[in-house]
């Protein structure tokens, strides 16, 4: 064993630790600590001690090499209130079994049918944006991206018959998401059983969404022939080892998880993308050139995906600068050692995606938008785990191919018709909550290409 090294501590208040600085600007504060203290340090937040890690090799250790020793950290407890025991929040053998059952539904070839729906939803969004363009209004692009990604994930789960439920779904997910954020921001909270307004609203939203999902499951069970969507694939999946299928409760938890995990991140990624395009006209022109060559005005489909190479590079670079999942949280089960640093059992950790993606040791001009980093030629020089917007190891995002295809299709559809122009001049602030959102949204005008 190597000699033990001391993990440096970020200086903070004797009682509150770094609570104030973290609440004010968590990304700025932690990035500064990284440059002063190095790639592993700890911060105190009142009674909690959190180790922050920003070195790709250490991240690989936690997510991959010794992943069995690390479980999800406390922020997932909050998500559990809503998502139950779905893929994102479950652990151990239960998670392994669920992942085995769900994995085939996300294989690339299974996604062909879903890409058709992605194109339909993107086209419907284009019609809406055409109206906005005609009226000359300014919109918050995050709302529109949220709508199109929610539409896509709902259709992917339940096929086409979701339109009349969309309003309930949208409202319930927003309430639940805001509730989870508020509980993470204010760790001292009303217990869930207290009849205060926030708790009541949350319970009502969860109940409404449960009703929608259970209705889908029930009516699906009555159908002789199942449509080709994620719900069918999850319902029909049989565990090879036990011969069991998912119970209704498991199906509910997985649907809820896919709903939430499957639209918010993608919607944010698209929103940051449009901001970057507005800020980088040269790259935007190259995007238009590629779309002209590959599609020439056509709606993109599954076969076009591998040909939209530059579009993909733009998306990858935009997720480097603005990773929607800006941190991955873990907690150690047993004592461990990372490069001579001792990790105690029960230690909470933040694997700080945002800082790794902008780390000067692994990226030249790290804050600069340079999509060519992801060209076929250059991508092999990127160090493993210096780029991990979808996490890594066995708990790698199950929807990563889904998300990449979705973003390529939505972008290729919309960018053939519109540009999004920002009129405000102040910098868009990053709000790092559960995901990294643009503070106050991004106000943009829709104009013709
Ligand atoms: C740009 C879009 C997306 C980003 C940035 C993203 C990011 C992530 C990350 C970082 C994780 C790992 C979390 C951890 O290890 O603690 C994760 C897990 C997960 N994601 Fe995504 N995701 C995206 C899109 C999607 C989509 C479209 C779906 C489903 C349709 C999805 C479903 C899931 C699920 C179910 C998990 C849990 C997997 C498991 O633990 O087995 N995600 N995602």
């Amino acid at each position: 064993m190597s000699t033990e090294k001391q993990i440096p501590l970020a200086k903070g208040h004797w009682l509150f630790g770094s609570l104030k600085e973290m609440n004010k600007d968590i990304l700025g504060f932690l990035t500064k600590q990284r440059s002063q203290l190095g790639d592993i340090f700890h911060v105190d937040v009142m009674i909690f001690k959190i180790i922050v890690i920003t070195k790709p090799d250490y991240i690989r250790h936690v997510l991959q090499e010794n992943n069995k020793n690390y479980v999800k950290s406390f922020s997932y407890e909050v998500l559990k209130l809503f998502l139950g025991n779905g893929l994102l929040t479950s652990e151990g053998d239960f998670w392994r079994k669920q992942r085995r059952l769900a994995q085939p539904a996300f294989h690339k070839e299974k996604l062909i049918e879903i890409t058709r729906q992605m194109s339909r939803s993107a086209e419907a969004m284009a019609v809406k944006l055409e109206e906005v363009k005609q009226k000359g209004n300014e919109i918050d692009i995050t709302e529109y991206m949220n709508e199109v990604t929610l539409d896509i994930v709902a259709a992917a789960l339940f096929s086409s018959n979701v339109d009349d439920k969309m309003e309930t779904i949208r409202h319930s997910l927003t309430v639940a998401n805001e509730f989870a954020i508020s509980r993470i921001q204010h760790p001292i909270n009303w217990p869930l059983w207290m009849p205060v307004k926030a708790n009541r609203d949350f319970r009502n939203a969860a109940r409404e969404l449960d009703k929608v999902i259970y209705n889908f499951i029930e009516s699906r069970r009555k159908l002789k022939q199942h449509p080709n969507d994620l719900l069918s694939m999850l319902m029909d999946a049989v565990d090879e080892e036990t011969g069991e299928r998912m119970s209704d409760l498991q199906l509910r938890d997985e649907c809820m998880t896919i709903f939430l995990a499957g639209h918010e991140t993608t919607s944010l990624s698209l929103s940051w993308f449009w901001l970057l395009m507005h800020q980088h006209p040269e790259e935007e022109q190259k995007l238009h050139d590629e779309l002209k060559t590959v599609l020439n005005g056509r709606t993109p489909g599954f076969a076009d995906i591998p040909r939209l190479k530059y579009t993909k590079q733009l998306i990858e670079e935009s997720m480097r600068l603005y990773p929607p999942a800006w941190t991955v949280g873990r907690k150690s089960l047993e004592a461990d050692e990372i490069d001579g640093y001792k990790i105690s059992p029960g230690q909470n950790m933040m694997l700080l995606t945002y800082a790794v993606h902008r780390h000067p040791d692994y990226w030249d001009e790290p804050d600069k938008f340079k999509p060519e980093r992801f060209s076929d030629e250059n991508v092999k020089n990127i160090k493993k785990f210096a780029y991990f917007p979808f996490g890594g190891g066995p708990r790698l995002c199950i929807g990563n191919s889904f998300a990449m295809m979705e973003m390529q299709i939505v972008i290729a559809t919309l960018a053939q018709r519109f540009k999004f122009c920002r009129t405000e001049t102040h910098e868009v602030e990053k709000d790092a909550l559960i995901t990294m959102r643009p503070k106050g949204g991004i106000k943009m005008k829709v104009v013709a290409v």
Side-chain angles (χ1 to χ4, degrees):
M1 234 189 208
S2 49
T3 39
E4 191 185 313
K5 297 191 256 183
Q6 277 298 317
I7 300 178
L9 169 70
K11 281 202 195 85
H13 186 271
W14 67 273
L15 178 60
F16 299 114
S18 302
L19 180 70
K20 200 168 131 206
E21 291 81 359
M22 302 260 278
N23 272 345
K24 206 167 137 206
D25 173 16
I26 190 165
L27 295 175
F29 172 71
L30 293 177
T31 308
K32 190 165 154 211
Q33 299 307 311
R34 185 210 61 72
S35 61
Q36 290 174 351
L37 301 173
D39 283 326
I40 181 162
F41 58 92
H42 64 90
V43 286
D44 288 337
V45 182
M46 294 159 78
I47 52 166
F48 301 104
K49 173 182 164 190
I50 304 166
I51 293 189
V52 182
I53 291 180
T54 57
K55 195 178 176 94
D57 287 345
Y58 299 172
I59 288 163
R60 194 182 62 211
H61 176 91
V62 174
L63 291 183
Q64 196 158 48
E65 285 157 5
N66 199 18
N67 71 80
K68 288 219 166 91
N69 192 45
Y70 294 92
V71 290
K72 304 242 170 158
S73 59
F74 92 105
S75 52
Y76 286 95
E77 288 304 314
V78 179
L79 287 178
K80 238 182 184 168
L81 294 173
F82 187 54
L83 301 181
N85 224 8
L87 274 176
L88 196 64
T89 43
S90 56
E91 294 289 352
D93 288 343
F94 184 85
W95 165 78
R96 246 180 299 284
K97 185 176 147 216
Q98 287 301 98
R99 179 91 188 201
R100 238 182 3 246
L101 285 173
Q103 191 70 60
F106 287 90
H107 280 162
K108 257 195 183 145
E109 54 293 1
K110 284 272 162 51
L111 296 176
I112 297 182
E113 179 56 33
I114 291 171
T115 51
R116 288 198 194 102
Q117 185 54 50
M118 290 174 179
S119 306
R120 277 194 287 273
S121 301
E123 281 294 335
M125 180 44 64
V127 172
K128 275 199 182 157
L129 289 169
E130 183 59 39
E131 270 174 42
V132 176
K133 187 189 90 187
Q134 309 256 336
K135 286 186 187 146
N137 293 346
E138 200 172 55
I139 54 165
D140 176 359
I141 196 72
T142 62
E143 283 174 16
Y144 283 72
M145 292 303 108
N146 200 55
E147 188 174 327
V148 68
T149 56
L150 190 53
D151 207 44
I152 288 172
V153 84
L157 270 167
F158 306 125
S159 296
S160 50
N161 45 356
V162 271
D163 287 1
D164 54 329
K165 315 277 186 330
M166 277 319 275
E167 212 26 66
T168 314
I169 295 173
R170 201 170 297 138
H171 173 74
S172 307
L173 282 177
T174 311
V175 172
N177 213 10
E178 299 299 329
F179 180 80
I181 288 168
S182 143
R183 284 185 89 89
I184 286 178
Q185 274 180 322
H186 311 103
I188 298 164
N189 244 300
W190 294 111
L192 209 59
W193 53 264
M194 291 279 281
V196 294
K197 185 174 180 311
N199 286 350
R200 268 201 316 269
D201 288 351
F202 168 71
R203 280 189 190 290
N204 286 341
R207 212 174 296 128
E208 284 298 307
L209 203 47
D210 273 358
K211 229 193 287 170
V212 172
I213 292 177
Y214 279 126
N215 266 339
F216 274 118
I217 297 173
E218 201 187 312
S219 42
R220 187 63 56 88
R221 290 219 186 278
K222 290 183 191 144
L223 286 182
K224 284 222 170 68
Q225 222 181 354
H226 287 178
N228 202 0
D229 56 21
L230 289 179
L231 177 60
S232 295
M233 289 186 225
L234 296 175
M235 282 176 87
D236 297 342
V238 180
D239 189 32
E240 280 173 15
E241 284 178 17
T242 60
E244 286 171 22
R245 289 174 199 258
M246 289 188 208
S247 66
D248 280 6
L249 178 62
Q250 281 166 283
L251 284 169
R252 175 262 177 220
D253 289 351
E254 294 308 351
C255 288
M256 203 73 108
T257 298
I258 292 170
F259 247 137
L260 198 74
H263 89 281
E264 150 104 352
T265 40
T266 323
S267 131
L268 289 172
S269 193
L270 286 166
S271 305
W272 290 116
F273 175 91
W274 295 122
L275 175 68
L276 283 164
M277 283 301 91
H278 166 70
Q279 292 166 338
H280 298 88
E282 227 173 87
E283 283 75 9
E284 188 176 42
Q285 185 52 50
K286 279 195 187 168
L287 165 69
H288 290 144
D289 294 346
E290 174 170 277
L291 298 179
K292 179 104 186 85
T293 314
V294 176
L295 300 169
N296 198 17
R298 258 189 319 111
T299 303
F302 185 76
D304 298 307
I305 304 270
R307 299 164 69 208
L308 295 170
K309 281 190 170 190
Y310 188 66
T311 313
K312 184 160 175 260
Q313 286 172 42
L314 290 170
I315 298 169
E316 286 169 328
E317 175 68 345
S318 109
M319 281 202 293
R320 183 184 70 82
L321 288 172
Y322 296 101
W326 59 280
T327 182
V328 173
R330 286 293 184 271
K331 189 165 140 181
S332 57
L333 289 172
E334 290 176 12
D336 191 13
E337 195 187 291
I338 304 179
D339 190 21
Y341 294 104
K342 196 168 162 269
I343 308 294
S344 331
Q347 175 61 62
N348 274 301
M349 290 177 167
M350 287 172 84
L351 314 179
L352 198 57
T353 316
Y354 176 82
V356 182
H357 282 191
R358 291 176 183 241
H359 198 309
D361 289 357
Y362 308 101
W363 306 95
D364 68 306
E365 299 187 280
D367 293 327
K368 217 168 160 191
F369 184 67
K370 289 166 86 175
E372 61 277 12
R373 298 178 205 272
F374 292 93
S375 68
D376 289 346
E377 194 191 342
N378 294 335
V379 78
K380 45 185 180 291
N381 301 326
I382 298 176
K383 190 172 168 63
K384 198 130 193 346
F385 284 95
Y387 183 70
F388 62 116
F390 293 106
R395 308 240 22 184
L396 176 75
C397 174
I398 202 169
N400 66 346
S401 301
F402 183 119
M404 286 308 293
M405 287 182 186
E406 175 180 8
M407 290 189 277
Q408 278 174 290
I409 288 181
V410 171
I411 288 166
T413 307
L414 301 184
Q416 286 191 94
R417 294 177 217 181
F418 314 110
K419 282 187 186 186
F420 302 100
C421 298
R422 186 161 180 260
T423 45
E424 292 174 336
T425 49
H426 63 85
E427 199 187 325
V428 178
E429 273 183 65
K430 302 178 243 1
D431 211 0
L433 301 162
I434 298 177
T435 48
M436 192 171 83
R437 298 171 167 193
K439 207 176 208 155
I442 309 176
K443 307 275 178 334
M444 297 186 116
K445 278 204 157 202
V446 186
V447 298
V449 174

